[in-house]
Amino acid sequence: SQTIHQWPATLVQPVGSPLSLECTVEGTSNPNLYWYRQAAGRGLQLLFYSVGIGQISSEVPQNLSASRPQDRQFILSSKKLLLSDSGFYLCAWSFLRGEANFGPGTRLLVL
Amino acid sequence: AQSVTQLDSQVPVFEEAPVELRCNYSSSVSVYLFWYVQYPNQGLQLLLKYLSGSTLVKGINGFEAEFNKSQTSFHLRKPSVHISDTAEYFCAVSEKTSYDKVIFGPGTSLSVIP
């Protein structure tokens, strides 16, 4: 069976500091990978998706970037965090029919 | 590009009453449709999905949804809600021609009142 891991679960960072969130998937090969952000009281915003190693599509211009150095690894980064980057970050994978399977999420608070 | 609308941001309903959460989508091609549930401080869990075939889809926890192609809708229903159904519900769509993106609606917060 497939599992998806995200870490850390919670993160508190000062404004201007860098960020690295990691997501790994087990039990599947060449999945589509996604980063979503959920701000307080708001829906899910698709940030990035990837259909293969090194292939990243950005949905919205912002302070964040994503990389996929390995088939089942997806990293969300920032060089300098903003207050507006606070939120709940969810990694997900899908295969074929687009059904997204979510990780447990990382709650980021930028102070 | 596909998009999803959930017109009701909040739906309060009394326990054991029926509920319908509305979802409409926009796409120029055929789509797959999904409903997800998010309980407080948790990730998202798939409730049900429409891929093809029967337009009435049954999911977990007694929920069902009906795909209406002419109205581009995929409304979620439950005949009798429980307190434990209090959660955020998200409708999502993925285009069949290029299943590289799953787009979510803004969500509907269901509050079940005892």
Side-chain angles (χ1 to χ4, degrees), chain A residues 49-57 68 74:
Chain A
Y49 69 96
S50 170
V51 299
I53 296 174
Q55 300 178 61
I56 308 295
S57 296
R68 185 170 178 174
F74 205 25

Side-chain angles (χ1 to χ4, degrees), chain A residues 32 34 36 38 42-44 46 49 51 59 88 90 94-104 107, chain B residues 32 34 36 38 41-46 49 51-52 88 90 94 99-107:
Chain A
N32 295 333
Y34 309 84
Y36 291 89
Q38 186 177 26
R42 299 178 65 179
L44 283 163
L46 179 61
Y49 69 96
V51 299
E59 285 294 294
F88 191 40
L90 289 157
S94 72
F95 195 62
L96 294 179
R97 293 167 171 171
E99 172 187 331
N101 302 276
F102 285 85
R107 195 164 299 282
Chain B
Y32 300 120
F34 311 90
Y36 288 82
Q38 185 181 34
N41 298 313
Q42 295 187 27
L44 274 75
Q45 178 184 5
L46 182 69
K49 58 187 176 184
L51 302 179
S52 65
E88 192 82 15
F90 294 95
S94 173
Y99 32 74
D100 56 356
K101 285 197 296 186
V102 183
I103 300 299
F104 284 78

Side-chain angles (χ1 to χ4, degrees), chain B residues 75-89:
Chain B
H75 300 333
L76 181 70
R77 302 185 184 97
K78 186 170 182 178
S80 176
V81 296
H82 302 289
I83 294 291
S84 59
D85 293 323
T86 294
E88 192 82 15
Y89 292 80

Side-chain angles (χ1 to χ4, degrees), chain A residues 66-86:
Chain A
S67 62
R68 185 170 178 174
Q70 300 180 42
D71 181 44
R72 288 169 286 181
Q73 184 184 28
F74 205 25
I75 298 172
L76 183 70
S77 304
S78 174
K79 292 182 179 178
K80 287 184 177 181
L81 283 169
L82 306 172
L83 287 173
S84 57
D85 291 324
S86 293

Side-chain angles (χ1 to χ4, degrees), chain B residues 42-112:
Chain B
Q42 295 187 27
L44 274 75
Q45 178 184 5
L46 182 69
L47 263 181
L48 49 77
K49 58 187 176 184
Y50 170 78
L51 302 179
S52 65
S54 173
T55 57
L56 183 62
V57 179
K58 293 188 183 298
I60 62 172
N61 301 339
F63 284 94
E64 63 180 32
E66 186 160 18
F67 170 54
N68 187 317
K69 187 176 181 180
S70 63
Q71 297 185 6
T72 61
S73 67
F74 190 54
H75 300 333
L76 181 70
R77 302 185 184 97
K78 186 170 182 178
S80 176
V81 296
H82 302 289
I83 294 291
S84 59
D85 293 323
T86 294
E88 192 82 15
Y89 292 80
F90 294 95
C91 183
V93 62
S94 173
E95 292 183 334
K96 288 185 179 182
T97 53
S98 58
Y99 32 74
D100 56 356
K101 285 197 296 186
V102 183
I103 300 299
F104 284 78
T108 296
S109 178
L110 174 65
S111 298
V112 180

